[in-house]
């Protein structure tokens, strides 16, 4: 046999060996994949055929615990009209819709509380009246958009709020603590007078009128003479305010950055575990604060400043005696 023939023969042998090795690898891989599929099928058949269960016995609510419900009402802007054509059909608002939403607000606050009472004793409600119940005439544009003059609007807002508190007293057994802070729209001055803000606010007068009419054994009013109201709920301190002292001009991070900066500064003077505010028409329940939405909802001003769309909604949450803030329940509306 010549050398050339031997080389050709050896190449043929090498090629055959390599082919055999490749075939063997493919075979072994196929065997492993088939085994894996068989194990999966066996597991699926076993799961399907299993009837094993264990008993779950219902338990009564922990009688040693309790909760207080906090309901936030702010930024109703009862007399400001929102035309659907101005907001791409996303919202509509007028005096009748303001009344409808206000009624739903109080009815649903009571309904949601009763639902939570199935799991934990709730005997008290904190009703936060957070301001801007009227739009007023602090901007010239509001003279055109508002359907009532400021005093007429304040009377209308007072009617809606008083009717709502009467509903809560008549249809629940809760004790009410009504926390009242003034917004920036209810003022009678062109600009905010910081040190005399309450004395220049129609809402401040409205709150005192409501207290004279409605304070009783089951309803007490806490009306702020300054910007903040501090209220202990169990072992937590809540700081209530309208929110207009928080400065925000847009930017990455949204409201969370200026809110947290403001809270950090306020906490240097007097500590609070949680802040609750309105003004920004943005529902935002975060770990250390709750931002309330609005009753008026999306309007032309929101479109002009390129604000995120948000449906009309108001904040509601539980404060558990043991666990602190727990369940959050935004109150939504049918129109």
């Amino acid at each position: 046999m010549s050398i050339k023939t031997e080389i050709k023969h050896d190449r043929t042998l090498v090629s055959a060996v390599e082919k055999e090795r490749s075939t063997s690898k493919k075979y072994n891989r196929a065997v492993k994949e088939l085994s894996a599929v068989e194990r999966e099928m066996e597991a699926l058949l076993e799961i399907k055929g299993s009837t094993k269960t264990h008993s779950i016995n219902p338990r009564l609510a922990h009688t040693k615990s309790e909760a207080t419900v906090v309901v936030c009402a702010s930024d109703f802007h009862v007399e400001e009209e929102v035309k659907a054509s101005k907001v791409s059909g996303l919202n509509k608002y007028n005096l009748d819709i303001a009344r409808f939403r206000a009624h739903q607000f109080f009815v649903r606050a009571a309904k949601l509380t009763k639902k939570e009472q199935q799991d934990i004793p709730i005997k008290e409600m904190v009703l936060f009246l957070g301001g801007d119940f009227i739009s007023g005439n602090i901007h010239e544009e509001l003279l055109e958009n508002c359907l009532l003059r400021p005093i007429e609007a304040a009377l209308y807002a007072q009617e809606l709020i008083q009717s709502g508190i009467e509903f809560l007293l008549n249809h629940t057994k809760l004790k009410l603590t009504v926390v009242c802070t003034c917004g920036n729209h209810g003022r009678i001055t062109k600009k905010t007078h910081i040190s005399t803000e309450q004395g220049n606010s129609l809402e401040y007068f409205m709150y005192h009128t409501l207290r004279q009419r409605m304070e009783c054994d089951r309803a007490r009013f806490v009306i702020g003479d300054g910007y903040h109201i501090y209220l202990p709920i169990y072992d937590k301190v809540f700081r209530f305010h309208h929110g207009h002292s928080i400065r925000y001009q847009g930017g990455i991070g949204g409201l969370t950055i200026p809110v947290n900066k403001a809270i950090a500064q306020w906490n240097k003077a007097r500590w609070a575990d949680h802040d609750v505010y309105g003004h920004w028409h943005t529902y935002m329940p975060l770990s250390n604060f709750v931002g309330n939405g609005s009753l008026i909802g999306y309007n032309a001003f929101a479109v002009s400043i390129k604000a995120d769309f948000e449906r009309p909604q108001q904040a509601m949450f539980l404060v558990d005696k043991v666990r602190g803030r727990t369940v959050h329940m935004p109150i939504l509306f049918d129109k």
Side-chain angles (χ1 to χ4, degrees), residues 75-140:
D75 302 281
F76 280 24
H77 297 276
V78 294
E79 83 280 28
E80 184 177 336
E81 184 178 23
V82 177
K83 295 181 179 179
S85 60
K86 302 296 184 182
V87 291
S88 304
L90 294 172
N91 188 29
K92 184 179 180 181
Y93 196 67
N94 53 40
L95 296 175
D96 291 335
I97 295 175
R99 180 185 293 270
F100 177 86
R101 291 180 186 173
H103 287 183
Q104 276 203 334
F105 169 76
F106 288 103
V107 170
R108 290 182 173 175
K111 185 176 181 180
L112 289 169
T113 300
K114 289 179 181 178
K115 178 178 73 69
E116 294 303 317
Q117 285 175 322
Q118 297 177 60
D119 294 323
I120 190 169
I122 301 173
K123 298 180 181 179
E124 297 199 22
M125 172 186 287
V126 174
L127 175 61
F128 175 43
L129 302 182
D132 276 6
F133 290 101
I134 69 173
S135 289
N137 57 8
I138 63 173
H139 305 304
E140 288 187 7

Side-chain angles (χ1 to χ4, degrees), residues 45-331:
L45 291 172
E46 187 175 348
I47 292 171
K48 183 178 179 180
S50 176
T51 58
K52 184 179 179 180
T53 62
H54 65 273
S55 298
I56 299 177
N57 298 317
R59 297 177 61 185
L60 296 176
H62 187 14
T63 55
K64 292 183 179 180
S65 186
E66 63 179 76
T68 293
V69 62
V70 180
V71 181
C72 302
S74 75
D75 302 281
F76 280 24
H77 297 276
V78 294
E79 83 280 28
E80 184 177 336
E81 184 178 23
V82 177
K83 295 181 179 179
S85 60
K86 302 296 184 182
V87 291
S88 304
L90 294 172
N91 188 29
K92 184 179 180 181
Y93 196 67
N94 53 40
L95 296 175
D96 291 335
I97 295 175
R99 180 185 293 270
F100 177 86
R101 291 180 186 173
H103 287 183
Q104 276 203 334
F105 169 76
F106 288 103
V107 170
R108 290 182 173 175
K111 185 176 181 180
L112 289 169
T113 300
K114 289 179 181 178
K115 178 178 73 69
E116 294 303 317
Q117 285 175 322
Q118 297 177 60
D119 294 323
I120 190 169
I122 301 173
K123 298 180 181 179
E124 297 199 22
M125 172 186 287
V126 174
L127 175 61
F128 175 43
L129 302 182
D132 276 6
F133 290 101
I134 69 173
S135 289
N137 57 8
I138 63 173
H139 305 304
E140 288 187 7
E141 182 182 1
L142 292 173
L143 295 173
E144 300 177 358
N145 291 345
C146 289
L147 302 172
L148 299 173
R149 302 285 69 82
I151 292 178
E152 296 170 337
L155 290 172
Y156 190 57
Q158 179 177 288
E159 175 191 341
L160 297 181
I161 295 169
Q162 181 173 335
S163 301
I165 294 175
E166 287 176 351
F167 175 85
L168 292 174
L169 291 173
N170 292 333
H171 291 83
T172 75
K173 297 181 180 179
L174 298 168
K175 287 186 177 181
L176 303 183
T177 298
V178 186
V179 177
C180 308
T181 65
C182 296
N184 60 308
H185 273 264
R187 67 179 186 262
I188 58 176
T189 56
K190 185 175 182 180
K191 294 183 178 181
T192 300
H193 294 186
I194 296 174
S195 61
T196 59
E197 185 173 24
Q198 288 70 36
N200 288 299
S201 172
L202 292 174
E203 290 176 336
Y204 187 71
F205 183 79
M206 178 184 72
Y207 293 151
H208 279 275
T209 301
L210 289 170
R211 181 167 70 178
Q212 290 174 357
R213 293 179 179 179
M214 308 206 68
E215 195 160 54
C216 60
D217 291 341
R218 284 182 55 208
R220 71 181 181 106
F221 282 71
V222 181
I223 302 174
D225 288 324
Y227 179 73
H228 291 133
I229 293 179
Y230 290 81
L231 183 74
I233 304 178
Y234 306 120
D235 62 343
K236 305 295 182 184
V237 176
F238 284 75
R239 179 166 46 217
F240 294 90
H241 50 101
H242 177 63
H244 56 296
S245 284
I246 299 168
R247 302 302 176 196
Y248 175 57
Q249 300 297 328
I252 297 174
L255 270 169
T256 57
I257 293 175
V259 172
N260 280 314
K261 283 184 176 179
I263 290 173
Q265 289 300 116
W266 291 328
N267 279 344
K268 291 178 181 178
R270 183 173 177 181
W271 175 265
D273 297 284
H274 303 277
D275 278 65
V276 185
Y277 66 88
H279 181 67
W280 294 100
H281 297 204
T282 303
Y283 176 62
M284 190 177 293
L286 298 184
S287 61
N288 60 330
F289 65 82
V290 176
N292 195 28
S294 70
L295 198 78
I296 185 173
Y298 200 60
N299 60 8
F301 178 74
V303 175
S304 69
I305 64 172
K306 303 175 183 63
D308 291 339
F309 170 76
E310 180 168 303
R311 72 179 79 183
Q313 57 187 321
Q314 299 280 269
M316 179 175 175
F317 59 90
L318 293 187
V319 182
D320 188 284
K321 185 176 182 179
V322 177
R323 300 176 180 87
R325 262 174 55 206
T326 54
V327 181
H328 286 266
M329 303 162 281
I331 299 175

Side-chain angles (χ1 to χ4, degrees), residues 14-33:
V14 169
S15 177
V17 170
E18 289 178 349
K19 187 175 181 180
E20 183 180 357
R21 286 176 180 173
S22 176
T23 303
S24 178
K25 287 180 180 180
K26 291 179 181 178
Y27 175 78
N28 292 334
R29 186 165 62 248
V31 170
K32 288 180 180 179
E33 290 176 355

